[in-house]
Amino acid sequence: ERQGWFGKLSSGLRKTGSNLSQVFTGGVIDEALYEELESALLLADAGVQATQTLLDAVRKKVASSGATRPVQAKNILAEALTQLLKPLEKPLVIGRHQPTVIMVAGVNGAGKTTSIGKLTKHLSSEGASVLLAAADTFRAAAREQLAIWADRNTVEIVSQEGGDPSAVSFDAVSAGRARGKDVVIVDTAGRLPTQLHLMEELRKIKRVVQKADASAPHEVLLVIDGNTGQNALTQVKAFDAALGLTGLVITKLDGTAKGGVLAAIAQEKPVPVYFIGVGEKLEDLETFSAREFALALLG
Ligand code: GDP
């Protein structure tokens, strides 16, 4: 199965021409190789800072090890990238609180609802009982979509037509406690009718959830579309400033995403990547491994 998602990821990266392997096909390690590597990293959305970090690491290690062949430089890059990404590798742990309240944010279209469906399946398959909260009350479609994922996973959902998002969240956390659920996942809006401020609304949901359970939310996740490039970093910073993120889900890495943005996140705002999305189906959610991701990126 590991092989399966790894394949999807690396073929996705290959599609965009952003896998870095072509940099290392020449005969020698020279300035031209470093220049190509720099362009390839920037093209893969790694950002200026992470690109510099990686280039410096490779140059240094090539010099100290006396490596002369490009394949050696490639292995050195794989190691440097793994080290850079390592801080993002952290499992989502539930069970310390009952229920563990997971608030999920993300801009519309990022794959938030789909990821909640996948996460529900993942947690259910580990034996946890899950309750969903439809706190994106502004869009009827969002509620309906979440209800479909609840149905597919045969889990309960707290939903209220036209209700107040924080009231729905409060009810869901209270219901989760009363019914002895292991996990409550709160789906929030990704965009609001224009006059309302999204971050304020999300902060309010967080505050009200705290009233239902003083230690909640235990996790605040941001779902990001892997195709958003450098803008992903902007999103991580903005949502973290507003909500205090505990983890990320990066979706659509099976498609045309360039993948390097994880290096940028690791360099500039290292919020753990709990999961990556590698397809539209329920099972297309994988835990993040720095080493495997680095190898997929290098092709
Ligand atoms: P939301 O607006 O953030 O809730 O986004 P949705 O969950 O509705 O997803 C938007 C689109 O992205 C849907 O067509 C999903 O099937 C698709 N999608 C979500 N995650 C993935 C993924 O990991 N890979 C692929 N290929 N598509 C995804």
Side-chain angles (χ1 to χ4, degrees):
E1 201 196 343
R2 214 70 190 151
Q3 203 60 33
W5 80 260
F6 186 79
K8 279 189 208 171
L9 178 61
S10 39
S11 73
L13 295 172
R14 210 168 300 129
K15 253 185 277 171
T16 64
S18 59
N19 90 14
L20 297 166
S21 59
Q22 75 279 3
V23 172
F24 303 97
T25 49
V28 289
I29 302 175
D30 54 9
E31 252 339 279
L33 181 145
Y34 287 119
E35 271 167 35
E36 253 189 77
L37 178 56
E38 181 172 18
S39 308
L41 285 168
L42 290 171
L43 219 70
D45 289 331
V48 174
Q49 291 185 38
T51 295
Q52 204 52 54
T53 297
L54 291 167
L55 273 177
D56 289 349
V58 173
R59 278 182 192 276
K60 222 168 134 185
K61 185 76 187 178
V62 163
S64 70
S65 67
T68 53
R69 290 178 301 126
V71 64
Q72 292 172 295
K74 185 179 175 181
N75 291 335
I76 289 169
L77 175 63
E79 189 51 38
L81 193 53
T82 302
Q83 288 313 314
L84 180 65
L85 296 175
K86 206 77 183 171
L88 303 186
E89 204 181 86
K90 193 181 158 207
L92 170 66
V93 177
I94 59 151
R96 288 197 204 110
H97 304 272
Q98 195 178 24
T100 296
V101 178
I102 304 174
M103 183 175 166
V104 185
V107 300
N108 278 359
K112 182 166 49 68
T113 316
T114 307
S115 297
I116 289 173
K118 293 172 178 178
L119 180 59
T120 301
K121 180 186 156 85
H122 172 82
L123 294 169
S124 301
S125 71
E126 289 187 338
S129 55
V130 179
L131 176 77
L132 299 181
D136 181 357
T137 59
F138 299 98
R139 291 188 313 146
R143 269 201 330 275
E144 286 158 17
Q145 206 62 41
L146 194 70
I148 292 171
W149 288 111
D151 230 39
R152 280 184 195 150
N153 284 296
T154 50
V155 301
E156 292 169 49
I157 179 169
V158 171
S159 185
Q160 192 188 88
E161 196 185 331
D164 176 60
S166 45
V168 169
S169 308
F170 183 90
D171 288 350
V173 174
S174 304
R177 293 181 74 169
R179 299 175 200 170
K181 298 292 178 193
D182 297 313
V183 181
V184 174
I185 303 178
V186 181
D187 181 24
T188 66
R191 184 156 24 88
L192 299 182
T194 44
Q195 67 275 31
L196 296 167
H197 194 289
L198 177 64
M199 294 302 178
E200 261 162 44
E201 183 61 52
L202 296 178
R203 274 198 295 263
K204 185 175 170 199
I205 291 175
K206 191 180 172 185
R207 275 200 312 275
V208 172
V209 160
Q210 252 152 16
K211 284 188 183 148
D213 177 344
S215 67
H218 307 98
E219 301 285 352
V220 181
L221 307 191
L222 178 67
V223 177
I224 303 172
D225 182 337
N227 293 292
T228 27
Q230 283 293 294
N231 188 248
L233 189 59
T234 312
Q235 286 181 28
V236 175
K237 286 177 178 169
F239 280 87
D240 185 57
L243 295 172
L245 297 175
T246 62
L248 304 175
V249 179
I250 318 271
T251 65
K252 309 186 195 181
L253 288 173
D254 54 308
T256 53
K258 294 171 177 173
V261 70
L262 273 89
I265 291 170
Q267 173 85 38
E268 295 182 53
K269 194 80 212 170
V271 178
V273 176
Y274 285 144
F275 297 100
I276 58 175
V278 290
E280 297 186 272
K281 294 201 295 292
L282 262 180
E283 57 276 12
D284 292 328
L285 185 75
E286 295 294 339
T287 52
F288 173 73
S289 151
R291 175 108 203 128
E292 289 178 55
F293 196 86
L295 292 177
L297 203 55
L298 292 185

